[in-house]
Amino acid sequence: GAVVSQHPSRVICKSGTSVKIECRSLDFQATTMFWYRQFPKKSLMLMATSNEGSKATYEQGVEKDKFLINHASLTLSTLTVTSAHPEDSSFYICSARTSGGGKDTQYFGPGTRLTVL
Amino acid sequence: AQSVTQLDSQVPVFEEAPVELRCNYSSSVSVYLFWYVQYPNQGLQLLLKYLSGSTLVKGINGFEAEFNKSQTSFHLRKPSVHISDTAEYFCAVMESGQGGKLIFGQGTELSVKP
């Protein structure tokens, strides 16, 4: 199946700093990538849809100035958590969408554990 | 608005027993349906999907699911579970015309005991 990577797998940062998370589709091109947030023992919450070459579409309640998304190429999307605070600590997961040949499917990265001290 | 309901938050079962994880959805348009598995501190792995065609879908690790349009269900089944199947399972729906967005159920924690 299609492979999606995320980097870093875990990061610890101080309050007030910014953290960048990368999401790459390794063996396919993804015009659309998605960013999710997952709290402990909870389901995935869609944060935003990232489209290559255009602005991201954010879900209601997600601060676009805090969670900056850039989708610069067909294989890379980045999420930057700006001025991170402890409440931003969470598990962030990206996915990349395939849509060729009628096989519309999202493949997920392994996730990034963010801890803000 | 579409929604996905996984009726059981936790399912304990003994090794080699059969299991069914239930999923119901609501939508007014055509949908694609997915089951994902998540092991601790990992991302989601696709188990199986229904896009069209046969309503009985077979996936990896011996899992299968059946799409029932009249009951708006997509229950996941395995005839004999292993300890290694212990994980969180998520049902998800993608509505046509929504840009590929997935809406997830709340998840079901499958716990397989020896």
Side-chain angles (χ1 to χ4, degrees):
Chain A
V3 179
V4 177
S5 70
Q6 274 183 249
H7 178 81
S9 59
R10 57 178 65 233
V11 57
I12 300 172
C13 69
K14 292 182 179 180
S15 185
T17 61
S18 294
V19 174
K20 180 185 283 188
I21 303 169
E22 292 186 349
C23 177
R24 293 181 186 273
S25 56
L26 297 185
D27 51 1
F28 66 100
Q29 293 184 330
T31 54
T32 304
M33 291 184 173
F34 301 87
W35 287 96
Y36 297 84
R37 184 172 178 177
Q38 186 178 33
F39 293 98
K41 302 289 187 182
K42 297 290 185 185
S43 188
L44 280 73
M45 180 191 78
L46 178 64
M47 298 175 66
T49 303
S50 170
N51 294 298
E52 187 265 339
S54 64
K55 290 184 178 180
T57 303
Y58 290 82
E59 295 300 301
Q60 193 171 8
V62 177
E63 298 176 62
K64 59 183 67 175
D65 294 331
K66 181 164 188 62
F67 298 101
L68 300 179
I69 291 172
N70 183 277
H71 194 153
S73 77
L74 288 171
T75 59
L76 173 65
S77 176
T78 60
L79 168 69
T80 301
V81 183
T82 62
S83 186
H85 288 91
E87 58 266 29
D88 299 323
S89 298
S90 193
F91 194 52
Y92 292 88
I93 307 177
C94 74
S95 71
R97 178 190 180 194
T98 66
S99 57
K103 299 179 180 179
D104 204 335
T105 302
Q106 284 188 34
Y107 292 92
F108 285 79
T112 296
R113 174 76 58 193
L114 171 63
T115 302
V116 185
L117 302 176
Chain B
Q2 66 182 89
S3 65
V4 181
T5 302
Q6 289 181 242
L7 296 163
D8 306 296
S9 60
Q10 294 180 317
V11 174
V13 64
F14 286 106
E15 193 174 19
E16 296 184 7
V19 71
E20 179 179 79
L21 305 183
R22 296 178 293 171
C23 174
N24 287 86
Y25 69 93
S26 67
S27 177
S28 57
V29 300
S30 59
V31 296
Y32 299 153
L33 297 155
F34 304 82
W35 274 98
Y36 288 89
V37 60
Q38 185 179 34
Y39 298 99
N41 296 310
Q42 295 186 25
L44 274 66
Q45 180 182 7
L46 180 67
L47 272 180
L48 47 78
K49 59 186 176 183
Y50 171 79
L51 301 182
S52 65
S54 172
T55 57
L56 182 61
V57 180
K58 294 189 184 298
I60 62 171
N61 301 342
F63 284 94
E64 64 179 32
E66 186 156 19
F67 170 50
N68 187 318
K69 188 174 182 179
S70 62
Q71 297 186 6
T72 60
S73 68
F74 191 54
H75 301 332
L76 180 71
R77 295 189 290 261
K78 186 170 181 177
S80 176
V81 294
H82 302 289
I83 298 286
S84 59
D85 292 323
T86 295
E88 190 83 18
Y89 290 79
F90 291 98
C91 179
V93 167
M94 181 189 297
E95 280 187 335
S96 60
Q98 291 300 311
K101 284 186 187 181
L102 281 175
I103 302 299
F104 284 88
Q106 302 90 327
T108 297
E109 182 181 351
L110 176 63
S111 177
V112 182
K113 304 179 186 305

